[in-house]
Amino acid sequence: MAHAAQVGLQDATSPIMEELITFHDHALMIIFLICFLVLYALFLTLTTKLTNTNISDAQEMETVWTILPAIILVLIALPSLRILYMTDEVNDPSLTIKSIGHQWYWTYEYTDYGGLIFNSYMLPPLFLEPGDLRLLDVDNRVVLPIETPIRMMITSQDVLHSWAVPTLGLKTDAVPGRLNQTTFTATRPGVYYGQCSEICGANHSFMPIVLELIPLKIFEMGPVFTL
Amino acid sequence: MLDVEAQEPPKGKWSTPPFDPRFPSQNQIRNCYQNFLDYHRCLKTRTRRGKSTQPCEYYFRVYHSLCPISWVESWNEQIKNGIFAGKI
């Protein structure tokens, strides 16, 4: 989860998110360089003693400051497209989970091996135990195995919602009448939080998503199915 | 087997629906719906010919894994009442 006043991205829990963090760092460095260059040029303009205002025709400089930004844009676009295509790679998932958005909770369906269906409501503040996270913890978490390609099918029963888990680099809209697919592989166990990311009414801020990622061997023992 | 109430996944080894190149895009609604239709068409044809409906179970497993159960229940209800819009 994010800590208070966090500005940066959360640590990655999937290979795609690791790539996204690297790309973010790369693009941010370019942005810093450009900003610094512009601020420096501005500073020089404001503090110069030169007063000649009849300067014209600087073809070489014009060429440089046209070609250089084009190169910079290509340097940003290439890694970006690489990651975009990486997210669309065909991977063979081992597990399919359905996530259905409602006003204002999520329903999860594990139907590969039977019919486990449950709702996931945010814990009301009065029901929090010591140590629970306010506005983030839920009554029933989504328990999933690590190091397994998982396919999430996301839809909605009423209005638009969005199923997001930042640490996995996931955000997929839950659109009524549409069944959006997203896949991920988690690399480490833990409890990961996300929040509904599409305005959906009064309690839009109060329908979080909590994933509990556990080792595959323990998942296979079936703790999820003993409700 | 046409009794839509008694549908449970068959026993045996099953992982999850594989990648279907007919439906490569993000919106998998057609994948879910097509397998649902194929299951019922398979049931209808094989029952009419007096053959075992065991091969139809593949389609059942795929749509059971992909389709939200509320949709499946609503479609089954429509089939039972004879108002299902799809061609079976």
Side-chain angles (χ1 to χ4, degrees), chain A residues 96 98 111-112 151 179 181, chain B residues 14 16-17 26 28 64-65 67:
Chain A
T96 300
K98 286 167 256 175
T111 46
D112 280 339
R151 178 203 268 133
L179 193 58
Q181 174 182 276
Chain B
W14 168 255
T16 209
Q26 191 186 29
Q28 293 284 293
H64 194 70
S65 281
C67 302

Side-chain angles (χ1 to χ4, degrees), chain A residues 90 93-96 98 109 111-114 117 151 153 155 157 177-181, chain B residues 9 14-19 26-29 32 61 64-71:
Chain A
V90 171
S94 307
L95 187 61
T96 300
K98 286 167 256 175
E109 297 184 6
T111 46
D112 280 339
Y113 304 100
I117 302 173
R151 178 203 268 133
M153 309 293 283
T155 186
Q157 199 74 342
R178 211 180 141 93
L179 193 58
N180 281 333
Q181 174 182 276
Chain B
W14 168 255
S15 172
T16 209
F19 168 68
Q26 191 186 29
N27 188 7
Q28 293 284 293
I29 193 169
C32 141
R61 283 190 175 278
H64 194 70
S65 281
L66 293 178
C67 302
I69 296 301
S70 57
W71 294 3

Side-chain angles (χ1 to χ4, degrees), chain B residues 23-79:
Chain B
F23 313 104
S25 47
Q26 191 186 29
N27 188 7
Q28 293 284 293
I29 193 169
R30 197 72 210 172
N31 194 350
C32 141
Y33 186 62
Q34 192 60 49
N35 280 285
F36 180 82
L37 288 179
D38 288 345
Y39 172 67
H40 285 284
R41 288 173 186 167
C42 174
L43 277 191
K44 185 174 166 190
T45 317
R46 291 190 76 92
T47 317
R48 185 164 47 87
R49 292 182 191 165
K51 294 185 184 168
S52 147
T53 54
Q54 198 269 335
C56 306
E57 284 170 7
Y58 174 80
Y59 299 120
F60 177 87
R61 283 190 175 278
V62 174
Y63 88 70
H64 194 70
S65 281
L66 293 178
C67 302
I69 296 301
S70 57
W71 294 3
V72 173
E73 284 169 356
S74 140
W75 292 335
N76 283 338
E77 197 60 39
Q78 289 173 5
I79 292 175

